[in-house]
Amino acid sequence: MNLATLEMTPLAPSEDFTAVDLASSVLAHLHQSVVVLDERNQILLSNPNFDSMFRGDEEKALLYAGLESFALLRQPADTLLHVGGRSVLLRQTALPQGRLVTLEDVTEQRAERARVIEEARTDTLTLLGNRLLLRERLGELLTRRVDGEVVAVLAIDLDRFKLVNDTLGHHVGDALLRMVAQRIRSALGRDDLAARFGGDEFCVVQTAQAQPHAAAKLGKRLVDLIGRSYLLEGHLINVGASVGIALSPADGDDGNTLLKNADLALYRAKQEGRGTYSFFEPAMDEEMQARRNLEIELRRALAMREFALVYQPQCNLQSRQITGFEALLRWNSAARGLVSPADFIPLAEETGLIVPIGEWVIRTACREAAGWAQPLSIAVNVSAIQFGGTGLAATVLSALAESGLEPGRLELEITESVLVGDYRSALDVLRRLRKIGVRVSMDDFGTGYSSLSYLRSFPFDKIKIDQSFVRASIDDPNSMAIVRAIAALGQSLGMTTTAEGVETEEQMARIVADGCTDVQGYLISRPLPPDRIVDFLRSHQSKQDLDSAS
C-alpha cells in the first residue's frame, strides 16, 4: 500500500455507537475537568473529572458560583479561581449555544513555583533574604510610603572576618556567618527585614519606627551583639561590625540610592575605627566622587609614568658610614602636582592598585641601585596586599635577574599587617626570598600588638623602630624605655635596629645612648632623587674624613 496516496476520510459512527456516544467517551477519558455551560450558564454537560474535582457541597457551591461569574466575563483569557484552599485554572471557549470550560487544579504547581521563588530570594547559608528579596521589598516599601513615614536602610559589614576564614577555614567562617545572622534576627522588630548580600555583608530595612532614633538604637545594638565573642569548634572568635545608615526620603527615595548611601555611611564608619555606626551625610557622596576621580588618575599615572623614586640614606651609628637607602614613592601628577603618599597609598591598597605600583617600585629600585658605584643596600616597602597573590616572589626574582642586583643588597620592609592575614602563606614567601639572600626587616616595630610573636616565627634581619617613639619628648619616659627595650631585643637576637625619623642632635644622642645600631631621618638627609645620590655620598664621606682628621 502506498501511504503517500492514502486518502484519509473521517470515520462515520455505526448504528450502535452514535456521535453523542463518541463525544461522551472522549470527555470521560480527558485528564482535564470539562464542563459545558448554556447561555444561561447552566451546566449542560460535564465529565467525571469535573464531577470528582470538588466533592463537598460547599466546595461545589463555590465552584458553580465561580463558573457563573467566569462565564459572565465572556473573555477567553485564563482565570484563576480559589476554591476550598485549592487553586483552579479556568479556560473557556465560545460555542454556538454556550461555552466550553476546562478546569485544571494547579495548587501543587503554584506551591512549587512559590517554593522556587522563595528559594531564589533566600540566602541558602543563613536563611535570611538575599539581595534580590531586599531590593524587591525595599522598592515596594518606598512605593507605598506615605508622607511622614521614614524607611531606614542599615548596611552591615563584619570586621576581621577574612582572618577567620584564612586561619580557621571556610567551614568555620560559614558557621560564624550563620551565628551572626541569628544575632541580627534577634535584634529586629516585627516589620524589619534582614538580608545577606554575600560574603560578610548584611543589610537591614527598618520600618514603622520613629527615626532617626530607632535606626541609631538598632545600629548600636547590632554593633554590640555582633561584636560579642563566638565559641566555634573550640575556638573563641572575636569579630566586629561596622554599620552605615541611610534614611528615606532624606537620603534618597529609591532603593539604589538608599543602598549606595548606606554603603557610603558604612565606609565612613570603617574609617572612624570600625566597630561603630554612622549616618549618611551629603558630604560623603562628594568625598566618594573625589576618591573615584583620584583612583582614575592613579590608574592613569602608572600608564603615563608619573611615579618616581627618591632615596633616603641609612647610616650606621658606629662607623658613621652610609649603609644603604630606603626607596620612597613619589607621584607628580599632571593634574594635581605633587601628591602626598599619605593621600594615595591607602587608596592604592584599597583598590588593589598597590600590586602593579609595587611591582614597578621593586623593578625600578633594583635597576637604579644596580647602577650605584658602591654596593649599598636598597630597602623597598612591601604592602600586605602584595602578599595576597602568588606574584611577589616571582616579581622579586625577575627584578633581580633583569637588573643584575645582588640579592643580598635588596631588603624588603614589611609591617606586621603582612603577617596578620594569611600568615603561613606570607611566611612561605618570605622564607623563599630569604633563602636566595634577600633581607627582610620589620617596619614600624612597636606599634602593633603582636610584633614580639612574629620575631619568634621569622628571623628578621632588621627591626625599624617607629618614628613616633624616636620623636617623643624627653618628658615621655615610656617611649624612651620602649626604644631601649627594642634596641636590647635586637642585640640579643642579632638583628640591626634602625631608629627612624631622627631630626635633631638631641634625638641622635638619645638613640645612640639607647643602643640602636643604625639611624635614618632628616638629620642625615632628606630623601634624594637618583641623580643626587653620588654627590651626597661624596659629601658625606668628605665630612667623615674631616671629622676623623680632627
Side-chain angles (χ1 to χ4, degrees), residues 12 43 58 71 107 123 129 138 191 194 206 237 286 333 343 418 425 435 439 444 494 497:
I43 296 178
E58 183 176 350
T107 307
D123 175 59
L138 180 58
D191 299 318
Q206 186 186 52
I237 299 172
E286 297 174 8
S333 168
D343 293 333
V418 167
S425 177
K435 190 174 182 180
R439 296 186 298 168
D444 298 337
T497 50

Side-chain angles (χ1 to χ4, degrees), residues 363 366-371 396-409:
R363 293 185 184 279
C366 287
R367 184 180 66 254
E368 293 184 345
V396 171
L397 293 172
S398 173
L400 291 172
E402 290 175 359
S403 65
L405 186 74
E406 288 294 325
R409 293 178 58 192

Side-chain angles (χ1 to χ4, degrees), residues 227-417:
R228 297 178 184 179
S229 297
Y230 302 80
L231 185 61
L232 280 169
E233 298 188 7
H235 300 284
L236 190 63
I237 299 172
N238 289 287
V239 295
S242 299
V243 179
I245 305 171
L247 305 175
S248 178
D251 302 332
D253 54 8
D254 65 274
N256 288 334
T257 301
L258 269 182
L259 290 170
K260 183 200 75 171
N261 289 340
D263 276 337
L264 290 175
L266 173 62
Y267 181 74
R268 171 65 61 84
K270 290 182 176 182
Q271 283 185 318
E272 292 177 349
R274 302 175 182 268
T276 187
Y277 67 90
S278 177
F279 279 92
F280 171 77
E281 298 172 3
M284 294 178 183
D285 196 23
E286 297 174 8
E287 291 174 6
M288 187 55 65
Q289 290 296 332
R291 181 177 177 273
R292 288 196 186 101
N293 292 336
L294 183 62
E295 180 184 345
I296 292 170
E297 292 180 31
L298 195 56
R299 292 181 184 277
R300 186 184 299 120
L302 190 59
M304 301 303 292
R305 300 183 180 181
E306 293 181 347
F307 292 116
L309 294 183
V310 292
Y311 298 90
Q312 186 164 39
Q314 298 172 331
C315 179
N316 179 266
L317 289 172
Q318 183 176 3
S319 66
R320 298 289 175 163
Q321 296 296 316
I322 301 300
T323 57
F325 293 84
E326 179 183 358
L328 300 173
L329 183 62
R330 295 292 184 263
W331 176 20
N332 191 7
S333 168
R336 299 170 181 262
L338 194 61
V339 183
S340 169
D343 293 333
F344 72 85
I345 292 295
L347 178 60
E349 291 185 324
E350 288 178 26
T351 59
L353 285 171
I354 196 65
V355 174
I357 292 174
E359 179 177 348
W360 179 88
V361 170
I362 292 172
R363 293 185 184 279
T364 303
C366 287
R367 184 180 66 254
E368 293 184 345
W372 296 343
Q374 301 179 34
L376 303 173
S377 67
I378 178 64
V380 176
N381 291 278
V382 182
S383 166
I385 308 300
Q386 292 173 259
F387 279 83
T390 58
L392 178 61
T395 295
V396 171
L397 293 172
S398 173
L400 291 172
E402 290 175 359
S403 65
L405 186 74
E406 288 294 325
R409 293 178 58 192
L410 177 62
E411 178 182 313
L412 299 183
E413 294 189 4
I414 69 168
T415 62
E416 69 178 62
S417 60

Side-chain angles (χ1 to χ4, degrees), residues 53-69:
M53 179 174 279
F54 298 94
R55 298 182 182 278
D57 292 339
E58 183 176 350
E59 288 186 347
K60 285 186 177 180
L62 289 170
L63 178 60
Y64 293 154
L67 285 172
E68 183 173 359
S69 300

Side-chain angles (χ1 to χ4, degrees), residues 486-534:
I486 296 174
L489 179 65
Q491 184 178 6
S492 65
L493 295 175
M495 300 178 184
T496 300
T497 50
T498 300
E500 294 186 284
V502 176
E503 297 181 343
T504 67
E505 291 290 351
E506 179 189 0
Q507 293 169 355
M508 173 72 86
R510 289 213 315 261
I511 65 150
V512 169
D514 291 337
C516 295
T517 63
D518 288 74
V519 64
Q520 176 179 338
Y522 284 0
L523 185 63
I524 304 299
S525 173
R526 289 179 176 271
L528 303 166
D531 57 2
R532 289 184 53 196
I533 289 178
V534 173

